[in-house]
Amino acid sequence: FRTGEKILMLSATILNKEAFCQNLGIKEEDCAFLSIPSPFPIDNRPIMFFPAGKMGARDIDNTLPKLATMVSAILGEHKGQKGIIHCHSYKIAKYLKDNVRDKRFLIHNSENRDEILQKHIDSKKDTVLLSPSMSEGVDLKGDLSKFQILCKVPFPYLGDAIVKKRMNKRESWYPLQTAKTIVQSVGRSVRSVDDQAVTYILDQGFQYFYNKNKQFFPKDFKQCLKW
């Protein structure tokens, strides 16, 4: 919003001020940034990297069976707890629904996302959201999610003409958007200083992406990572 001749922008996921300014087409010297560390205890939100395999287009079909096995094992470790599985695509969500024997799953389509989310919130059972599109705008506070799984590095869809144009125009746009979605996904389940939830990242490609783009991840995120 505007304050006189200045514009004040508030965001929890700016991540990198240089790339942020570049992607908006504004000068760094015309901006001031204030970064505040998260008040949430690091021990309450560990991020565990357990690679099932590569999840890129050329490897995903070979990796999906192992991914399903690992998801099943994680679900077994969290019996009696609600959680969310960030699938990133309907293909992954459907595969897990069809190949992981677990009655806790709640899966949505493009039309009933909010309805399924509310069902999860209202249910007294240990339901688990199986979703390709709940990386932001979802508040799973308290016992609504004690664990979450990131199945795949959430790269923007290259089949989208707008994505391609932005990527070609600004080199930093594509990795910044990917890192932003990862950080937002991790933030769905820890919403206060008292919340506790563990995150599992299963895509082997995350390590390469992270090492190549560390500058886009906040210190707060890095401190939670467990390799």
Side-chain angles (χ1 to χ4, degrees):
F1 56 90
R2 288 185 177 273
T3 57
E5 294 300 318
K6 298 180 180 180
I7 300 176
L8 178 61
M9 301 183 69
L10 302 178
S11 173
T13 48
I14 287 178
L15 302 186
N16 182 282
K17 65 180 182 180
E18 291 83 4
F20 181 80
C21 288
Q22 184 186 69
N23 289 330
L24 286 181
I26 57 180
K27 297 178 181 179
E28 285 185 54
E29 56 266 29
D30 292 338
C31 306
F33 290 82
L34 176 63
S35 179
I36 302 174
S38 171
F40 303 164
I42 293 172
D43 291 342
N44 287 5
R45 46 195 175 94
I47 303 170
M48 316 296 292
F49 178 56
F50 290 134
K54 297 179 180 179
M55 292 292 287
R58 290 181 295 180
D59 302 292
I60 187 171
D61 290 335
N62 291 328
T63 300
L64 281 173
K66 187 174 181 181
L67 179 80
T69 298
M70 293 183 70
V71 167
S72 181
I74 293 171
L75 290 170
E77 290 293 320
H78 292 275
K79 290 181 179 179
Q81 295 180 333
K82 289 177 177 283
I84 181 170
I85 302 176
H86 296 287
C87 300
H88 185 56
S89 73
Y90 283 107
K91 175 178 179 174
I92 297 172
K94 186 178 185 304
Y95 186 90
L96 293 178
K97 176 66 174 177
D98 293 343
N99 292 276
V100 177
R101 295 183 179 180
D102 201 302
K103 296 180 180 179
R104 302 158 66 186
F105 283 156
L106 292 178
I107 187 171
H108 67 84
N109 56 38
S110 60
E111 298 178 352
N112 65 350
R113 175 182 179 274
D114 292 343
E115 177 185 339
I116 295 301
L117 174 59
Q118 194 59 50
K119 184 175 181 180
H120 173 77
I121 292 172
D122 295 339
S123 177
K124 295 182 180 180
K125 297 180 180 180
D126 53 340
T127 50
V128 176
L129 290 164
L130 195 59
S131 174
S133 58
M134 289 191 183
S135 61
E136 58 182 320
V138 175
D139 184 5
L140 299 176
K141 59 186 177 182
D143 293 330
L144 294 179
S145 180
K146 305 304 290 184
F147 70 97
Q148 54 192 2
I149 301 172
L150 275 65
C151 296
K152 185 181 185 302
V153 175
F155 295 109
Y157 176 50
L158 289 175
D160 188 322
I162 295 177
V163 167
K164 277 194 172 182
K165 187 172 182 178
R166 287 177 173 174
M167 182 178 68
N168 292 332
K169 186 175 181 180
R170 310 242 183 232
E171 183 180 354
S172 63
W173 184 86
Y174 195 74
L176 180 64
Q177 294 305 308
T178 303
K180 181 179 177 180
T181 302
I182 293 172
V183 173
Q184 288 176 329
S185 299
V186 169
R188 294 312 93 209
S189 299
V190 179
R191 311 296 294 173
S192 73
V193 294
D194 299 318
D195 275 353
Q196 294 184 348
V198 57
T199 298
Y200 302 91
I201 299 179
L202 305 187
D203 186 353
Q204 183 177 326
F206 170 74
Q207 187 169 27
Y208 175 81
F209 176 80
Y210 174 79
N211 287 337
K212 189 177 180 181
N213 298 284
K214 286 183 181 180
Q215 70 273 23
F216 296 133
F217 288 90
K219 180 181 179 181
D220 180 71
F221 180 94
K222 296 174 183 177
Q223 290 175 328
C224 296
L225 272 174
K226 310 290 183 182
W227 299 101

